[in-house]
Short mmCIF file of all heavy atoms in Angstrom, two decimals:
data_model
loop_
_atom_site.label_atom_id
_atom_site.label_comp_id
_atom_site.label_asym_id
_atom_site.label_seq_id
_atom_site.Cartn_x
_atom_site.Cartn_y
_atom_site.Cartn_z
N ALA G 233 126.86 155.44 33.21
CA ALA G 233 126.16 156.05 34.34
C ALA G 233 125.32 155.04 35.10
O ALA G 233 124.85 155.33 36.20
CB ALA G 233 125.27 157.18 33.86
N THR G 234 125.12 153.85 34.52
CA THR G 234 124.31 152.82 35.18
C THR G 234 125.06 151.49 35.18
O THR G 234 125.80 151.19 34.25
CB THR G 234 122.96 152.63 34.47
OG1 THR G 234 123.20 152.30 33.09
CG2 THR G 234 122.13 153.89 34.54
N PRO G 235 124.86 150.67 36.21
CA PRO G 235 125.50 149.35 36.25
C PRO G 235 125.01 148.48 35.09
O PRO G 235 123.83 148.51 34.73
CB PRO G 235 125.05 148.78 37.60
CG PRO G 235 124.67 149.98 38.41
CD PRO G 235 124.10 150.95 37.44
N GLY G 236 125.92 147.69 34.56
CA GLY G 236 125.58 146.87 33.41
C GLY G 236 125.40 145.40 33.77
O GLY G 236 125.26 145.03 34.93
N SER G 237 125.39 144.57 32.73
CA SER G 237 125.23 143.13 32.91
C SER G 237 126.07 142.43 31.85
O SER G 237 126.75 143.06 31.05
CB SER G 237 123.76 142.74 32.77
OG SER G 237 123.28 143.07 31.48
N GLY G 238 126.02 141.11 31.86
CA GLY G 238 126.78 140.32 30.90
C GLY G 238 128.04 139.75 31.50
O GLY G 238 128.53 140.23 32.54
N THR G 239 128.57 138.73 30.87
CA THR G 239 129.76 138.04 31.36
C THR G 239 130.95 138.98 31.41
O THR G 239 131.18 139.77 30.48
CB THR G 239 130.09 136.84 30.45
OG1 THR G 239 128.97 135.96 30.44
CG2 THR G 239 131.31 136.10 30.96
N ILE G 240 131.70 138.90 32.51
CA ILE G 240 132.93 139.68 32.66
C ILE G 240 134.10 138.78 32.29
O ILE G 240 134.29 137.72 32.88
CB ILE G 240 133.08 140.19 34.11
CG1 ILE G 240 131.89 141.07 34.49
CG2 ILE G 240 134.39 140.95 34.28
CD1 ILE G 240 131.87 141.47 35.94
N ALA G 241 134.87 139.18 31.30
CA ALA G 241 135.96 138.34 30.81
C ALA G 241 137.08 138.23 31.84
O ALA G 241 137.27 139.13 32.68
CB ALA G 241 136.52 138.92 29.51
N ALA G 242 137.80 137.13 31.79
CA ALA G 242 138.97 136.98 32.65
C ALA G 242 139.94 138.12 32.38
O ALA G 242 140.17 138.49 31.22
CB ALA G 242 139.64 135.64 32.37
N GLY G 243 140.50 138.69 33.45
CA GLY G 243 141.42 139.81 33.29
C GLY G 243 140.74 141.16 33.25
O GLY G 243 141.40 142.20 33.18
N THR G 244 139.39 141.15 33.30
CA THR G 244 138.62 142.39 33.32
C THR G 244 138.01 142.57 34.70
O THR G 244 137.54 141.61 35.31
CB THR G 244 137.50 142.36 32.26
OG1 THR G 244 138.10 142.30 30.96
CG2 THR G 244 136.61 143.59 32.34
N THR G 245 138.02 143.79 35.20
CA THR G 245 137.38 144.13 36.47
C THR G 245 136.42 145.27 36.25
O THR G 245 136.74 146.24 35.56
CB THR G 245 138.42 144.54 37.53
OG1 THR G 245 139.35 143.48 37.73
CG2 THR G 245 137.75 144.89 38.85
N VAL G 246 135.23 145.15 36.81
CA VAL G 246 134.23 146.22 36.71
C VAL G 246 134.08 146.86 38.09
O VAL G 246 133.85 146.17 39.08
CB VAL G 246 132.87 145.67 36.24
CG1 VAL G 246 131.84 146.80 36.20
CG2 VAL G 246 133.00 145.02 34.87
N LEU G 247 134.24 148.18 38.14
CA LEU G 247 134.03 148.93 39.37
C LEU G 247 132.65 149.57 39.32
O LEU G 247 132.32 150.26 38.36
CB LEU G 247 135.10 150.00 39.54
CG LEU G 247 136.55 149.52 39.67
CD1 LEU G 247 137.49 150.72 39.80
CD2 LEU G 247 136.71 148.57 40.85
N VAL G 248 131.85 149.34 40.37
CA VAL G 248 130.51 149.92 40.46
C VAL G 248 130.48 150.83 41.69
O VAL G 248 130.82 150.41 42.80
CB VAL G 248 129.43 148.83 40.60
CG1 VAL G 248 128.05 149.46 40.81
CG2 VAL G 248 129.42 147.93 39.36
N GLY G 249 130.07 152.08 41.49
CA GLY G 249 130.01 153.02 42.59
C GLY G 249 128.61 153.55 42.81
O GLY G 249 127.80 153.63 41.87
N ARG G 250 128.31 153.89 44.06
CA ARG G 250 127.02 154.52 44.39
C ARG G 250 127.28 155.73 45.29
O ARG G 250 128.22 155.73 46.09
CB ARG G 250 126.07 153.53 45.06
CG ARG G 250 126.61 152.83 46.28
CD ARG G 250 125.59 151.89 46.90
NE ARG G 250 124.39 152.62 47.35
CZ ARG G 250 123.34 152.04 47.92
NH1 ARG G 250 123.35 150.72 48.14
NH2 ARG G 250 122.31 152.76 48.30
N GLU G 251 126.47 156.79 45.09
CA GLU G 251 126.60 158.03 45.84
C GLU G 251 128.05 158.56 45.78
O GLU G 251 128.57 158.75 44.68
CB GLU G 251 126.12 157.87 47.30
CG GLU G 251 124.63 157.53 47.42
CD GLU G 251 124.40 156.03 47.44
OE1 GLU G 251 125.23 155.29 47.99
OE2 GLU G 251 123.37 155.58 46.91
N ALA G 252 128.70 158.74 46.92
CA ALA G 252 130.06 159.28 46.92
C ALA G 252 131.02 158.39 46.14
O ALA G 252 131.97 158.88 45.51
CB ALA G 252 130.55 159.45 48.36
N GLY G 253 130.77 157.08 46.15
CA GLY G 253 131.60 156.16 45.38
C GLY G 253 131.47 156.42 43.89
O GLY G 253 132.45 156.35 43.14
N ALA G 254 130.25 156.73 43.43
CA ALA G 254 130.04 157.07 42.03
C ALA G 254 130.80 158.33 41.65
O ALA G 254 131.40 158.42 40.56
CB ALA G 254 128.55 157.24 41.76
N GLN G 255 130.81 159.30 42.53
CA GLN G 255 131.52 160.55 42.25
C GLN G 255 133.03 160.30 42.12
O GLN G 255 133.70 160.94 41.29
CB GLN G 255 131.23 161.58 43.34
CG GLN G 255 129.76 161.97 43.46
CD GLN G 255 129.17 162.44 42.14
OE1 GLN G 255 129.75 163.28 41.44
NE2 GLN G 255 128.01 161.89 41.78
N ARG G 256 133.55 159.39 42.92
CA ARG G 256 134.98 159.08 42.81
C ARG G 256 135.29 158.43 41.47
O ARG G 256 136.32 158.73 40.84
CB ARG G 256 135.40 158.16 43.96
CG ARG G 256 135.46 158.86 45.32
CD ARG G 256 136.17 158.02 46.36
NE ARG G 256 135.38 156.87 46.81
CZ ARG G 256 134.53 156.90 47.82
NH1 ARG G 256 134.32 158.04 48.48
NH2 ARG G 256 133.87 155.82 48.17
N LEU G 257 134.41 157.55 41.01
CA LEU G 257 134.65 156.86 39.74
C LEU G 257 134.53 157.81 38.54
O LEU G 257 135.19 157.61 37.52
CB LEU G 257 133.68 155.69 39.58
CG LEU G 257 133.86 154.51 40.53
CD1 LEU G 257 132.87 153.41 40.19
CD2 LEU G 257 135.29 153.97 40.47
N LYS G 258 133.69 158.81 38.67
CA LYS G 258 133.51 159.76 37.56
C LYS G 258 134.78 160.53 37.24
O LYS G 258 134.91 161.10 36.14
CB LYS G 258 132.38 160.74 37.89
CG LYS G 258 130.99 160.11 37.79
CD LYS G 258 129.90 161.12 38.12
CE LYS G 258 128.52 160.47 38.02
NZ LYS G 258 127.43 161.44 38.33
N LYS G 259 135.75 160.54 38.15
CA LYS G 259 137.00 161.25 37.92
C LYS G 259 137.97 160.45 37.04
O LYS G 259 138.99 160.98 36.58
CB LYS G 259 137.66 161.58 39.26
CG LYS G 259 136.83 162.52 40.13
CD LYS G 259 137.49 162.76 41.48
CE LYS G 259 136.64 163.68 42.35
NZ LYS G 259 137.25 163.91 43.69
N LEU G 260 137.67 159.16 36.83
CA LEU G 260 138.54 158.32 36.00
C LEU G 260 138.25 158.56 34.53
O LEU G 260 137.09 158.72 34.13
CB LEU G 260 138.34 156.85 36.34
CG LEU G 260 138.55 156.44 37.80
CD1 LEU G 260 138.31 154.95 37.99
CD2 LEU G 260 139.95 156.81 38.27
N VAL G 261 139.29 158.55 33.70
CA VAL G 261 139.12 158.79 32.27
C VAL G 261 139.65 157.59 31.48
O VAL G 261 140.48 156.81 31.97
CB VAL G 261 139.85 160.07 31.82
CG1 VAL G 261 139.26 161.28 32.53
CG2 VAL G 261 141.35 159.97 32.10
N LYS G 262 139.18 157.45 30.27
CA LYS G 262 139.55 156.32 29.42
C LYS G 262 141.07 156.27 29.23
O LYS G 262 141.71 157.28 28.97
CB LYS G 262 138.86 156.43 28.06
CG LYS G 262 138.99 155.16 27.23
CD LYS G 262 138.11 155.22 26.00
CE LYS G 262 138.21 153.93 25.20
NZ LYS G 262 137.33 153.96 24.00
N GLY G 263 141.62 155.08 29.39
CA GLY G 263 143.05 154.88 29.26
C GLY G 263 143.83 155.03 30.55
O GLY G 263 145.01 154.65 30.62
N GLN G 264 143.20 155.57 31.58
CA GLN G 264 143.88 155.79 32.86
C GLN G 264 144.19 154.45 33.53
O GLN G 264 143.37 153.54 33.54
CB GLN G 264 143.01 156.65 33.77
CG GLN G 264 143.68 157.07 35.08
CD GLN G 264 142.83 158.09 35.83
OE1 GLN G 264 141.96 158.75 35.24
NE2 GLN G 264 143.06 158.23 37.12
N ARG G 265 145.38 154.34 34.10
CA ARG G 265 145.77 153.09 34.77
C ARG G 265 145.17 153.06 36.17
O ARG G 265 145.26 154.02 36.94
CB ARG G 265 147.30 152.99 34.85
CG ARG G 265 147.78 151.66 35.43
CD ARG G 265 149.29 151.57 35.41
NE ARG G 265 149.80 151.51 34.05
CZ ARG G 265 149.84 150.40 33.32
NH1 ARG G 265 149.38 149.26 33.83
NH2 ARG G 265 150.34 150.43 32.11
N VAL G 266 144.55 151.92 36.51
CA VAL G 266 143.94 151.72 37.83
C VAL G 266 144.32 150.32 38.32
O VAL G 266 144.12 149.33 37.61
CB VAL G 266 142.40 151.84 37.78
CG1 VAL G 266 141.80 151.63 39.18
CG2 VAL G 266 141.97 153.18 37.21
N ALA G 267 144.88 150.24 39.51
CA ALA G 267 145.26 148.95 40.09
C ALA G 267 144.24 148.55 41.15
O ALA G 267 143.91 149.35 42.03
CB ALA G 267 146.64 149.04 40.71
N VAL G 268 143.71 147.34 41.06
CA VAL G 268 142.72 146.84 42.01
C VAL G 268 143.32 145.67 42.78
O VAL G 268 143.84 144.71 42.19
CB VAL G 268 141.43 146.39 41.29
CG1 VAL G 268 140.41 145.85 42.30
CG2 VAL G 268 140.83 147.54 40.49
N ARG G 269 143.27 145.75 44.10
CA ARG G 269 143.79 144.67 44.95
C ARG G 269 142.76 144.36 46.02
O ARG G 269 142.12 145.27 46.56
CB ARG G 269 145.11 145.07 45.60
CG ARG G 269 146.26 145.28 44.61
CD ARG G 269 147.56 145.67 45.31
NE ARG G 269 148.68 145.76 44.40
CZ ARG G 269 148.96 146.82 43.65
NH1 ARG G 269 148.19 147.90 43.75
NH2 ARG G 269 150.00 146.83 42.84
N TYR G 270 142.61 143.08 46.34
CA TYR G 270 141.64 142.71 47.37
C TYR G 270 141.97 141.35 47.96
O TYR G 270 142.71 140.54 47.38
CB TYR G 270 140.22 142.67 46.79
CG TYR G 270 140.05 141.74 45.61
CD1 TYR G 270 139.88 140.37 45.79
CD2 TYR G 270 140.08 142.25 44.30
CE1 TYR G 270 139.74 139.53 44.70
CE2 TYR G 270 139.94 141.40 43.21
CZ TYR G 270 139.76 140.05 43.42
OH TYR G 270 139.64 139.21 42.35
N GLY G 271 141.42 141.11 49.14
CA GLY G 271 141.56 139.83 49.83
C GLY G 271 140.60 139.82 51.01
O GLY G 271 140.00 140.84 51.36
N LEU G 272 140.44 138.65 51.61
CA LEU G 272 139.59 138.50 52.80
C LEU G 272 140.48 138.15 53.98
O LEU G 272 141.25 137.20 53.93
CB LEU G 272 138.55 137.39 52.58
CG LEU G 272 137.49 137.66 51.52
CD1 LEU G 272 136.67 136.40 51.25
CD2 LEU G 272 136.57 138.80 51.95
N SER G 273 140.38 138.93 55.04
CA SER G 273 141.18 138.67 56.24
C SER G 273 140.28 138.16 57.35
O SER G 273 139.14 138.62 57.50
CB SER G 273 141.91 139.93 56.69
OG SER G 273 140.99 140.96 57.00
N SER G 274 140.78 137.21 58.13
CA SER G 274 139.97 136.59 59.18
C SER G 274 140.28 137.18 60.54
O SER G 274 141.41 137.61 60.82
CB SER G 274 140.22 135.08 59.22
OG SER G 274 141.51 134.79 59.69
N ALA G 275 139.27 137.20 61.41
CA ALA G 275 139.44 137.71 62.76
C ALA G 275 140.45 136.88 63.53
O ALA G 275 141.17 137.39 64.39
CB ALA G 275 138.10 137.73 63.49
N SER G 276 140.55 135.58 63.21
CA SER G 276 141.48 134.68 63.91
C SER G 276 142.85 134.66 63.27
O SER G 276 143.75 133.97 63.75
CB SER G 276 140.92 133.26 63.91
OG SER G 276 140.94 132.71 62.60
N GLN G 277 143.01 135.39 62.16
CA GLN G 277 144.25 135.43 61.38
C GLN G 277 144.57 134.06 60.77
O GLN G 277 145.72 133.76 60.46
CB GLN G 277 145.43 135.92 62.24
CG GLN G 277 145.22 137.34 62.77
CD GLN G 277 146.43 137.88 63.50
OE1 GLN G 277 147.26 137.14 64.02
NE2 GLN G 277 146.55 139.20 63.55
N SER G 278 143.54 133.23 60.58
CA SER G 278 143.71 131.93 59.93
C SER G 278 143.56 132.09 58.42
O SER G 278 142.83 132.96 57.94
CB SER G 278 142.66 130.94 60.44
OG SER G 278 142.77 130.76 61.84
N ALA G 279 144.23 131.22 57.68
CA ALA G 279 144.07 131.15 56.23
C ALA G 279 143.13 129.99 55.93
O ALA G 279 143.23 128.93 56.55
CB ALA G 279 145.42 130.93 55.55
N TYR G 280 142.20 130.18 54.99
CA TYR G 280 141.18 129.17 54.72
C TYR G 280 141.28 128.60 53.32
O TYR G 280 141.51 129.32 52.36
CB TYR G 280 139.78 129.77 54.93
CG TYR G 280 139.48 129.98 56.39
CD1 TYR G 280 139.72 131.21 56.99
CD2 TYR G 280 139.00 128.95 57.17
CE1 TYR G 280 139.47 131.41 58.34
CE2 TYR G 280 138.75 129.13 58.52
CZ TYR G 280 138.99 130.36 59.10
OH TYR G 280 138.76 130.54 60.44
N GLY G 281 141.07 127.29 53.24
CA GLY G 281 140.95 126.65 51.94
C GLY G 281 139.56 126.84 51.38
O GLY G 281 139.36 126.99 50.18
N PHE G 282 138.57 126.83 52.28
CA PHE G 282 137.21 127.14 51.88
C PHE G 282 136.49 127.78 53.06
O PHE G 282 136.82 127.53 54.22
CB PHE G 282 136.47 125.87 51.41
CG PHE G 282 135.42 125.38 52.36
CD1 PHE G 282 134.10 125.77 52.22
CD2 PHE G 282 135.75 124.54 53.42
CE1 PHE G 282 133.14 125.33 53.12
CE2 PHE G 282 134.80 124.10 54.31
CZ PHE G 282 133.47 124.50 54.17
N ALA G 283 135.50 128.62 52.77
CA ALA G 283 134.68 129.22 53.81
C ALA G 283 133.35 129.62 53.19
O ALA G 283 133.28 129.97 52.00
CB ALA G 283 135.35 130.44 54.43
N VAL G 284 132.28 129.56 54.01
CA VAL G 284 130.94 129.90 53.55
C VAL G 284 130.21 130.62 54.67
O VAL G 284 130.48 130.39 55.86
CB VAL G 284 130.18 128.64 53.10
CG1 VAL G 284 129.88 127.71 54.28
CG2 VAL G 284 128.91 128.98 52.34
N GLY G 285 129.27 131.50 54.33
CA GLY G 285 128.59 132.33 55.30
C GLY G 285 127.40 131.67 55.98
O GLY G 285 126.85 130.66 55.51
N GLY G 286 126.96 132.28 57.07
CA GLY G 286 125.83 131.84 57.88
C GLY G 286 125.93 132.58 59.20
O GLY G 286 126.37 133.72 59.24
N TYR G 287 125.55 131.93 60.32
CA TYR G 287 125.77 132.57 61.62
C TYR G 287 125.90 131.53 62.72
O TYR G 287 125.31 130.45 62.67
CB TYR G 287 124.68 133.58 61.93
CG TYR G 287 123.27 133.06 62.03
CD1 TYR G 287 122.75 132.60 63.24
CD2 TYR G 287 122.44 133.06 60.92
CE1 TYR G 287 121.46 132.15 63.35
CE2 TYR G 287 121.14 132.60 61.01
CZ TYR G 287 120.64 132.14 62.23
OH TYR G 287 119.36 131.70 62.31
N PRO G 288 126.71 131.83 63.74
CA PRO G 288 126.98 130.88 64.82
C PRO G 288 125.79 130.72 65.76
O PRO G 288 125.04 131.68 66.01
CB PRO G 288 128.18 131.49 65.54
CG PRO G 288 128.12 132.94 65.22
CD PRO G 288 127.51 133.07 63.87
N VAL G 289 125.63 129.49 66.30
CA VAL G 289 124.55 129.22 67.26
C VAL G 289 125.05 128.49 68.50
O VAL G 289 124.35 128.43 69.51
CB VAL G 289 123.42 128.38 66.60
CG1 VAL G 289 122.78 129.15 65.46
CG2 VAL G 289 123.94 127.02 66.11
N LEU G 290 126.26 127.94 68.44
CA LEU G 290 126.81 127.16 69.55
C LEU G 290 128.28 127.49 69.69
O LEU G 290 129.01 127.52 68.70
CB LEU G 290 126.63 125.66 69.25
CG LEU G 290 127.10 124.63 70.28
CD1 LEU G 290 126.18 124.65 71.51
CD2 LEU G 290 127.09 123.22 69.66
N ALA G 291 128.73 127.75 70.91
CA ALA G 291 130.14 128.07 71.15
C ALA G 291 130.56 127.50 72.50
O ALA G 291 129.84 127.64 73.49
CB ALA G 291 130.37 129.58 71.13
N GLY G 292 131.72 126.84 72.53
CA GLY G 292 132.21 126.26 73.77
C GLY G 292 131.27 125.24 74.37
O GLY G 292 131.21 125.07 75.59
N GLY G 293 130.49 124.58 73.51
CA GLY G 293 129.54 123.57 73.98
C GLY G 293 128.26 124.14 74.54
O GLY G 293 127.44 123.39 75.08
N LYS G 294 128.04 125.47 74.40
CA LYS G 294 126.85 126.09 74.94
C LYS G 294 126.11 126.88 73.86
O LYS G 294 126.74 127.61 73.09
CB LYS G 294 127.20 127.04 76.09
CG LYS G 294 127.83 126.35 77.29
CD LYS G 294 128.16 127.37 78.39
CE LYS G 294 128.78 126.69 79.59
NZ LYS G 294 129.10 127.66 80.68
N PRO G 295 124.77 126.73 73.78
CA PRO G 295 124.01 127.55 72.83
C PRO G 295 124.22 129.03 73.13
O PRO G 295 124.29 129.43 74.30
CB PRO G 295 122.56 127.13 73.10
CG PRO G 295 122.66 125.74 73.66
CD PRO G 295 123.92 125.75 74.49
N LEU G 296 124.33 129.85 72.10
CA LEU G 296 124.53 131.28 72.29
C LEU G 296 123.28 131.90 72.90
O LEU G 296 122.16 131.46 72.65
CB LEU G 296 124.85 131.95 70.95
CG LEU G 296 126.14 131.49 70.25
CD1 LEU G 296 126.34 132.30 68.97
CD2 LEU G 296 127.34 131.65 71.16
#
Side-chain angles (χ1 to χ4, degrees):
T234 57
S237 61
T239 301
I240 300 173
T244 296
T245 301
V246 178
L247 298 179
V248 175
R250 55 179 298 180
E251 297 91 35
Q255 298 306 312
R256 288 193 288 271
L257 292 183
K258 286 180 180 180
K259 297 177 181 179
L260 303 180
V261 298
K262 191 171 182 179
Q264 186 171 340
R265 185 176 293 279
V266 180
V268 179
R269 295 180 175 83
Y270 57 81
L272 293 170
S273 60
S274 69
S276 69
Q277 299 186 335
S278 300
Y280 288 94
F282 108 94
V284 67
Y287 61 90
V289 297
L290 182 71
K294 297 180 180 180
L296 298 183

